[in-house]
Structures are given as C-alpha cells and as structure tokens.
Amino acid sequence: PEFISGGEIRLGTQIADTIEATLTSCNGRLSESGGIYKVRLGAPDAAVLTISDDDILSSEEQSFTPFTGIADTINGVAGKYPNPLEGWATKALPPVYRPDYEAQDGGRRLMADVSLDMVTRATQAQRLVQAALNEGRRARRHTFSLPPSAWPLEPGDVIEWSSARNG
C-alpha cells in the first residue's frame, strides 16, 4: 500500500480537522460538487479530457498568473510525525532542501512545516514531505472558460492541455 494512516482522534475534534489530517497522510484532495464529495489520493488520475488553445473560449475572460508571491513560495520543507516505535512521540524528519530553488529565490531559504499527525511510517512521511515541496513549486495558474462539451467535468477531474501560446 502506498499510504497507511492511523491516529488518535480526540472527542470534540472538529470533523474538518480530522478530514484534513487524514488527507495530509495520503496526499489527498477533497472536492465537492452539488453536495457530493470526491476524494483523490496520491498522484493525479489520468486525464478525462484533452484540450488545446483552440478549445478555450476567446469570447470569455482569461487570466494567467505565472508566479506566486514570495510569501507563498517555498524551497524547503520540514516535517514531523508520531513514531510508534518511540512510544508515539513526535519525531522530526530530516528537512528537505533544494539549493537550486534557493538560488532561484535570491538565496533565501523559505521553509514550510508539515505536521503528519496520521502518518506512522518514516518512509511515507518522507515521501509526503518531498511531495509537499514539489507541489509548493507549482506556481502557474490559468483561468479560462471551455465550451459546453466540457460541462461533464467535475471539480477534481484532471485534464490535459497542450498550449503553444503558454508553453
């Protein structure tokens, strides 16, 4: 199994906090559409739709954000998880740094801290910390409208987009 999760959920804990901790333990995403929730675990699924620049409606507004602000940028991640072999004490993971990212960010070390409260295996925790760093460097954001043929798409669906205009 790619992900194993377990932990103590105290009485009175908010459901949203429990769901968030569980999703963090499996690199999961939760999406909702019309009161129906879908969970995606791990890497994205195969694309359900393939588009090109010609499919984007030129009559509607489009936006492109190529970079996040420095406040939202990370180039290293530190994490911790409860270790069952050490009496469930919280154990720090070796931080993951990327010197090439630090150089791109003007020589600054921009760390994020990840608490993996529902992860009990060091190897899984290390993979999740690495995934958090990789995700933190995905900065491009495109917003555009598609034609009615894309109406069956739901939040969380994956599309494949080939764009000569956007590289």
Side-chain angles (χ1 to χ4, degrees):
E2 187 176 4
F3 303 107
I4 295 176
S5 179
E8 179 181 29
I9 302 169
R10 296 182 185 269
L11 190 64
T13 301
Q14 295 292 319
I15 292 173
D17 294 339
T18 302
I19 291 170
E20 183 66 31
T22 305
L23 290 172
T24 301
S25 74
C26 60
N27 206 13
R29 300 286 180 274
L30 181 69
S31 58
E32 182 269 334
S33 178
I36 297 173
Y37 292 88
K38 291 185 350 181
V39 176
R40 177 186 58 81
L41 308 177
D45 294 328
V48 297
L49 177 69
T50 301
I51 65 168
S52 69
D53 290 337
D54 295 337
D55 296 307
I56 297 172
L57 296 179
S58 60
S59 60
E60 299 294 325
E61 185 177 333
Q62 298 179 39
S63 68
F64 168 52
T65 307
F67 306 105
T68 58
I70 197 71
D72 297 322
T73 302
I74 64 169
N75 53 37
V77 179
K80 59 186 178 203
Y81 72 103
N83 188 340
L85 301 176
E86 296 181 13
W88 299 98
T90 300
K91 182 165 180 145
L93 293 162
V96 177
Y97 305 110
R98 286 287 304 267
D100 55 330
Y101 291 165
E102 287 181 29
Q104 292 172 12
D105 298 333
R108 292 175 285 212
R109 182 165 285 172
L110 306 169
M111 295 294 293
D113 289 314
V114 179
S115 184
L116 302 166
D117 298 330
M118 302 286 276
V119 176
T120 59
R121 298 184 306 171
T123 55
Q124 178 178 334
Q126 291 166 344
R127 280 184 297 150
L128 290 168
V129 166
Q130 184 63 53
L133 177 57
N134 293 340
E135 183 174 328
R137 294 307 284 199
R138 294 185 193 111
R140 297 175 68 110
R141 179 177 302 269
H142 297 270
T143 305
F144 52 77
S145 296
L146 293 172
S149 61
W151 284 355
L153 289 174
E154 297 177 348
D157 283 347
V158 176
I159 68 168
E160 182 178 315
W161 176 27
S162 296
S163 175
R165 180 174 49 223
N166 292 287

